[in-house]
Amino acid sequence: MSHQPAPSPELTHRTVASPAGRVHLVEQGTGPLVLLLHGFPESWYSWRHQLPALAAAGYRAVAIDVRGYGRSSRPGDVAAYRMAALVEDNAAVVHALGERNAVLVGHDWGATIAANSALIRPDVFRAVGLLSVPYAPRGGPRPSEVFAGMGGDQEFYVSRFQEAGRAESEIEPDVRGWLAGFYAAFSADTMPAPDAPDPHFAGSGGTLRERFPDRRPGWLGDADLDFYAGEFERTGMIGALNRYRNMDRDWEDLAEFDGAPVTQPSLFVGGSLDASTTWLADAIEAYPTTLPGLVSSHLLDGCGHWIQQERPEEVNRILTGWLASLPA
């Protein structure tokens, strides 16, 4: 029988009001506020190794369930998951916690949400840390057009996620098995060999899952997988997938920020084996222009996509060092 790991008594769970209804958050420590944003398909739990480390370093660490996940609100309208709405959720959390501003740290989609939050609400977010996914300003063709042109006769996963119900029908019959394979596909110790079929794509008439490894990454214990699976078995996948279904809408909404830099003090940490950093190498090279406040950039050798879970101690050292360098 699946079970969830017992929560640390030092962690405080609560919900606060947000534009969509509520945001569930998990908090530890006191001091300057650091808001932690997870990616797909994850949870506040993705920051389980960072919460105590940041608290011990003198920060009020708060990891949220992003809109559509966990115990946070899951609106029925696809458009409710647009970037602008997620930015306002983050600002609402800061104010609900009685703070005027915060440092944001995000991973995967959380990194993109963090960067846009800093861009749109510089009055609230004074610094931004990006894990795994580099900042690339809004610009270029419509995102759906870019993704449709990738992979030739294969289908890129982002394109596959666009149609409501399609990805859900692949994932939801066996959430635990699909998640285990997805995490393994992009972890350094279990990702397919370079000459194997790429799990970012589905073959003609095939599924993503048939390209996933059948091994478990070292960072993902039974209790960890049980927790993630339990969350998505309860909520379904639609809220998480709706983030992908707003990429063209975001492109339209953010037109006034075309090419805009994020000027606050910033940090980037990526994995050398992560396609997010190799495919977006040009975005990293553009940081002197797009992230003029960049304090430091780190590429962890031999690390995959799930960076703060694959290399928690190293990431914690980088995060606490960067936070200590920020002006009060």
Side-chain angles (χ1 to χ4, degrees):
M1 180 177 177
S2 295
H3 65 280
Q4 294 185 358
S8 164
E10 297 176 323
L11 298 177
T12 300
H13 288 252
R14 57 171 152 152
T15 58
V16 298
S18 75
R22 68 181 182 277
V23 170
H24 169 243
L25 60 84
V26 181
E27 179 177 2
Q28 189 168 2
T30 58
L33 177 60
V34 181
L35 193 62
L36 304 169
L37 308 177
H38 67 80
F40 174 89
E42 300 182 83
S43 157
W44 75 265
Y45 185 78
S46 307
W47 301 102
R48 63 194 176 282
H49 303 298
Q50 283 67 51
L51 288 165
L54 295 182
Y59 298 94
R60 185 182 187 186
V62 174
I64 72 169
D65 280 333
V66 173
R67 180 185 296 213
Y69 287 81
R71 289 167 53 193
S72 292
S73 290
R74 297 187 299 281
D77 182 9
V78 174
Y81 297 86
R82 68 204 316 154
M83 184 62 67
L86 301 179
V87 170
E88 290 309 310
D89 282 349
N90 295 336
V93 168
V94 173
H95 296 142
L97 293 174
E99 304 284 355
R100 290 187 302 172
N101 57 53
V103 175
L104 274 173
V105 179
H107 170 257
D108 183 80
W109 262 122
T112 303
I113 297 167
N116 281 284
S117 297
L119 187 68
I120 296 169
R121 295 297 304 271
D123 56 317
V124 178
F125 302 109
R126 63 186 181 92
V128 60
L130 310 176
L131 273 57
S132 298
V133 175
Y135 174 59
R138 185 265 189 210
R142 191 175 286 271
S144 60
E145 297 173 6
V146 175
F147 297 130
M150 297 177 65
D153 61 353
Q154 302 181 95
E155 185 180 27
F156 191 46
Y157 78 100
V158 176
S159 298
R160 191 176 185 84
F161 286 176
Q162 294 304 306
E163 182 184 340
R166 188 161 176 239
E168 290 91 328
S169 68
E170 176 181 333
I171 301 168
E172 291 182 353
D174 178 17
V175 170
R176 193 177 192 274
W178 195 92
L179 290 175
F182 191 80
Y183 298 143
F186 309 113
S187 297
D189 58 340
T190 49
M191 63 177 53
D195 58 350
D198 189 339
H200 291 91
F201 298 86
S204 178
T207 64
L208 293 170
R209 184 174 179 175
E210 64 193 20
R211 295 187 172 187
F212 293 165
D214 59 5
R215 295 164 292 153
R216 182 89 63 82
W219 62 266
L220 186 68
D222 283 340
D224 303 320
L225 181 55
D226 285 348
F227 183 89
Y228 286 124
E231 291 290 89
F232 289 109
E233 286 166 353
R234 179 171 53 81
T235 65
M237 298 299 300
I238 190 168
L241 290 163
N242 277 346
R243 172 82 290 272
Y244 290 91
R245 295 165 184 161
N246 278 276
M247 298 178 79
D248 281 353
R249 191 172 283 112
D250 296 339
W251 183 83
E252 296 168 358
D253 288 349
L254 299 173
E256 67 180 287
F257 296 100
D258 191 81
V262 172
T263 59
Q264 293 96 318
S266 56
L267 167 75
F268 176 71
V269 190
S272 69
L273 301 180
D274 185 3
S276 297
T277 54
T278 57
W279 288 352
L280 295 172
D282 289 349
I284 297 173
E285 291 178 10
Y287 278 169
T289 300
T290 61
L291 290 179
L294 186 68
V295 174
S296 62
S297 182
H298 307 261
L299 198 60
L300 305 189
D301 188 47
C303 187
H305 182 68
W306 316 104
I307 191 165
Q308 78 271 35
Q309 299 178 88
E310 292 186 52
R311 299 279 187 86
E313 293 181 1
E314 196 169 355
V315 169
N316 290 348
R317 285 195 299 272
I318 292 169
L319 284 178
T320 54
W322 172 67
L323 289 166
S325 77
L326 299 177

